[in-house]
Amino acid sequence: MKRARIGGQAVIEGVMMKYEDQYAVAVRKPDQEIEVKVESYTPIGEKYKILKLPILRGVVNFFESLVIGVKTLTYSADFYEEEEPTGKSENKDDFRLSDTESNNGSGSGENGSKNNKKESSTGDDLMMIGTVIVSLAIAIALFMLLPAFIAGLLEHVTKSNALIAVAEGVLRLVIFLAYVVLISLMKDIKRVFMYHGAEHKTINCFEAGDPLTPENVKKHSRYHKRCGTSFLVVVMIISIIVFMFINVKSMWLRLLSRVLLVPIIAGISYEFIMFAGRSDSKLANILSVPGMWVQRLTTKEPDLEMCEVAIRSVEAVIDWRAYQDAMKRGEIED
């Protein structure tokens, strides 16, 4: 049996966990019951083998994670819409986009229902893609273009491209940290950060071979080297190195280069995060320090009920008892 690499994400009052071709989202509903939904999917890298090559696989994984993240976050938020009666969540459909429309009598019998589902699926797909594109555009503008524009003004002070690239990277990190600090002041985001901590603790408990109980999970670290926060920090550090070697005089070319190089930087950063996640070497641990430090802002200590939600999400995608039994027998290999 190969070593399991589980990834996850905090959502509104819940946790999403992903393993191989499945991901599950567990949400603590307003009535305090835990709702668990599972979705199967085929990574695009399985369809086109060339996309499993280093760097390319990081770009693909980045966009797939964005889509799944937005989808599960939207699903969890639906339970807490103010205008929605609490009881509605009891009959909530699976969040698979093709199953969101029920037969409401429009159309002719079964064919009408299928047409309604197909139209709903297409509309939801387009809305989801649009949300991801808009979110990505805002992130690029805020964290890539704005620092590049401000740092570009330093050309009137110095002609050193290396110095300008470092200044741009520092600005990018400052803007990111300021953004995290500001949103952490919001009550709902504080709870999301607590669920983020529960996600990390549960994965650490799982990887350590300890039984998944809320009490055991609570004992583990809320930091993890494969975290998305660490990925973003690595992106900023890699961008400094890459942009040192790109010297353009025109401001619009500078901004265009930042946009065009986002996929490449994301791909390189993904390879680093995967290396750090698999390795316990001193080098990997040292290089992981900046990302682990920033996780102090994006994760908070969860309570036992939050840990229970995260455990339910893991249980939906993998039989952790069978896996840990195999670990004890020495049957797990990298």
Side-chain angles (χ1 to χ4, degrees), residues 22 34 37 67 72 114 122 126 128 143 154 178 309 316-317:
Q22 284 191 321
I34 300 176
K37 294 294 183 181
V67 172
T72 55
K114 288 181 179 179
T122 301
L126 291 175
M128 192 66 61
F143 301 119
L154 292 177
V309 173
V317 295

Side-chain angles (χ1 to χ4, degrees), residues 147-160 163-168 171 251 254:
F149 175 78
I150 296 175
L153 300 178
L154 292 177
E155 289 184 347
H156 300 293
V157 179
T158 178
K159 297 301 180 181
S160 172
L163 184 59
I164 293 174
V166 171
E168 179 183 339
L171 280 170
M251 178 63 76
R254 172 186 295 275

Side-chain angles (χ1 to χ4, degrees), residues 70-328:
V70 170
K71 186 177 179 180
T72 55
L73 190 61
T74 302
Y75 169 77
S76 66
D78 285 345
F79 287 103
Y80 287 86
E81 289 182 350
E82 291 182 357
E83 69 276 13
E84 178 181 273
T86 302
K88 182 178 178 181
S89 60
E90 295 295 333
N91 297 318
K92 183 175 289 294
D93 290 333
D94 190 287
F95 56 73
R96 301 176 187 178
L97 294 179
S98 61
D99 295 334
T100 55
E101 189 76 20
S102 62
N103 185 0
N104 56 10
S106 61
S108 56
E110 184 177 352
N111 289 334
S113 175
K114 288 181 179 179
N115 289 335
N116 289 337
K117 290 181 180 180
K118 184 175 181 180
E119 291 174 3
S120 175
S121 174
T122 301
D124 288 344
D125 281 343
L126 291 175
M127 183 178 295
M128 192 66 61
I129 292 172
T131 301
V132 171
I133 292 175
V134 171
S135 301
L136 189 58
I138 293 174
I140 290 175
L142 182 61
F143 301 119
M144 298 298 287
L145 298 185
L146 180 59
F149 175 78
I150 296 175
L153 300 178
L154 292 177
E155 289 184 347
H156 300 293
V157 179
T158 178
K159 297 301 180 181
S160 172
N161 191 60
L163 184 59
I164 293 174
V166 171
E168 179 183 339
V170 171
L171 280 170
R172 185 171 294 117
L173 185 59
V174 168
I175 292 173
F176 172 71
L177 292 177
Y179 170 79
V180 171
V181 170
L182 286 175
I183 66 172
S184 68
L185 299 177
M186 301 168 61
K187 180 180 178 181
D188 289 343
I189 298 300
K190 286 181 179 178
R191 289 192 62 81
V192 170
F193 285 175
M194 291 173 73
Y195 275 103
H196 192 191
E199 173 223 328
H200 284 183
K201 283 175 173 284
T202 304
I203 293 176
N204 284 328
C205 184
F206 169 81
E207 293 179 341
D210 294 337
L212 294 187
T213 65
E215 292 76 17
N216 281 345
V217 166
K218 197 78 166 63
K219 298 174 184 177
H220 285 266
S221 171
R222 73 176 199 259
Y223 311 123
H224 198 285
K225 290 190 290 186
R226 294 199 308 272
C227 174
T229 301
S230 294
F231 172 78
L232 293 176
V233 174
V234 172
V235 164
M236 296 176 194
I237 296 174
I238 296 295
S239 68
I240 295 176
I241 299 172
V242 172
F243 295 148
M244 278 184 179
F245 298 95
I246 299 176
N247 189 7
V248 291
K249 301 299 181 182
S250 171
M251 178 63 76
W252 76 268
L253 283 177
R254 172 186 295 275
L255 299 179
L256 180 62
S257 69
R258 272 40 178 180
V259 175
L260 295 179
L261 287 172
V262 164
I264 296 176
I265 292 173
I268 296 173
S269 301
Y270 174 84
E271 297 302 325
F272 171 82
I273 289 294
M274 289 299 100
F275 160 74
R278 291 191 299 265
S279 174
D280 288 323
S281 66
K282 289 184 178 180
L283 176 62
N285 291 334
I286 291 174
L287 294 176
S288 298
V289 168
M292 302 286 273
W293 182 83
V294 177
Q295 286 180 45
R296 294 177 180 271
L297 298 175
T298 62
T299 65
K300 301 297 180 184
E301 283 296 327
D303 57 33
L304 292 176
E305 290 187 346
M306 292 175 174
C307 294
E308 180 187 4
V309 173
I311 291 171
R312 292 284 296 276
S313 186
V314 170
E315 291 177 335
V317 295
I318 188 172
D319 185 345
W320 62 266
R321 293 178 179 84
Y323 178 81
Q324 291 185 347
D325 286 343
M327 285 182 63
K328 294 175 183 178

